[in-house]
Amino acid sequence: TRDLLIWIGGAGPRSRNFVYFAEVKSLPMKDMKTIDNLWTTYSKGKFGYSVQKQIWNGKKAKGSFELFVTEIDWNKGPCGGCDKICSGCTGLLKRWVPVKAKGNEFVYDLAKAKKGHLPLTSALRGTYLLQSLLNHPAYGASTVVNGAWAGVKAAVVQEKFPMNEAARADASTYYKNKMPWDM
């Protein structure tokens, strides 16, 4: 999945081999829906970004990364300083290594993995990438609860620009012939 996100991200992500969280919103809707449909279909509804978004926004995780990783089994217990996972602590997160390498701590068995366990998204440098993926419009119009941008609003510029009626999107042949899957 990571490789697909890099590929559909274009030249920038391909050249550096990762996607910035700010680039996620420009990933094509059709491709993001396809990725999620593959996950949800072949896991019988157990995996996928849309499934993870439901869990993130659900009653147990409540928009908290710390509760989310416990709910989908991305942690393996207390962080070492105490005997339980404390409030505001993710605990000790599982370690990812290539699938066939020894030491992989994630579960790739459909019967054994918790709902939402896959796809994996790195949170080593923070949760912005994960939240951006879950906020992608391909997974529904609602935003993630307690997202990194909660309460942040874009600046509004009040300018009037001349309109070229022939250049309007809804006047183009493409727009008139657009199919639902061309979103």
Side-chain angles (χ1 to χ4, degrees):
T1 301
R2 177 185 178 275
D3 291 342
L4 283 172
L5 294 174
I6 290 167
W7 182 256
I8 65 175
R14 287 183 209 152
S15 68
R16 64 179 173 272
N17 205 27
F18 64 89
V19 176
Y20 284 121
F21 74 91
E23 296 170 323
V24 170
K25 63 184 172 210
S26 63
L27 296 175
M29 175 82 79
K30 182 178 179 181
D31 294 334
M32 296 301 282
K33 281 185 177 185
T34 299
I35 289 169
D36 194 57
N37 286 339
L38 288 167
W39 274 109
T40 56
T41 299
Y42 289 98
S43 70
K44 300 179 174 96
K46 195 169 187 177
F47 304 140
Y49 289 120
S50 60
V51 174
Q52 289 177 341
K53 183 174 184 174
Q54 289 172 350
I55 294 168
W56 180 284
N57 287 340
K59 290 181 181 179
K60 291 183 180 177
K62 302 175 194 161
S64 162
F65 179 72
E66 292 77 18
L67 297 173
F68 175 76
V69 295
T70 300
E71 190 62 28
I72 64 170
D73 195 28
W74 280 5
N75 57 9
K76 57 184 182 179
C79 60
C82 50
D83 60 349
K84 64 183 175 91
I85 296 176
C86 307
S87 176
C89 175
T90 61
L92 190 58
L93 293 176
K94 290 187 175 181
R95 190 172 50 124
W96 179 87
V97 294
V99 175
K100 295 188 183 201
K102 291 183 180 180
N104 198 331
E105 299 172 338
F106 289 94
V107 182
Y108 297 94
D109 183 326
L110 184 59
K112 294 178 183 175
K114 284 185 87 176
K115 186 174 183 175
H117 189 69
L118 298 173
L120 300 176
T121 302
S122 175
L124 289 175
R125 293 182 183 97
T127 62
Y128 289 121
L129 177 61
L130 176 62
Q131 289 183 36
S132 295
L133 287 165
L134 299 182
N135 266 326
H136 195 282
Y139 314 126
S142 66
T143 58
V144 294
V145 175
N146 295 332
W149 307 278
V152 175
K153 296 190 185 213
V156 177
V157 178
Q158 302 276 335
E159 290 185 57
K160 293 195 176 197
F161 293 96
M163 175 57 100
N164 180 349
E165 290 300 316
R168 287 184 30 200
D170 59 353
S172 74
T173 307
Y174 169 78
Y175 184 84
K176 291 176 184 169
N177 295 320
K178 185 171 70 165
M179 302 304 275
W181 54 82
D182 289 332
M183 301 298 288

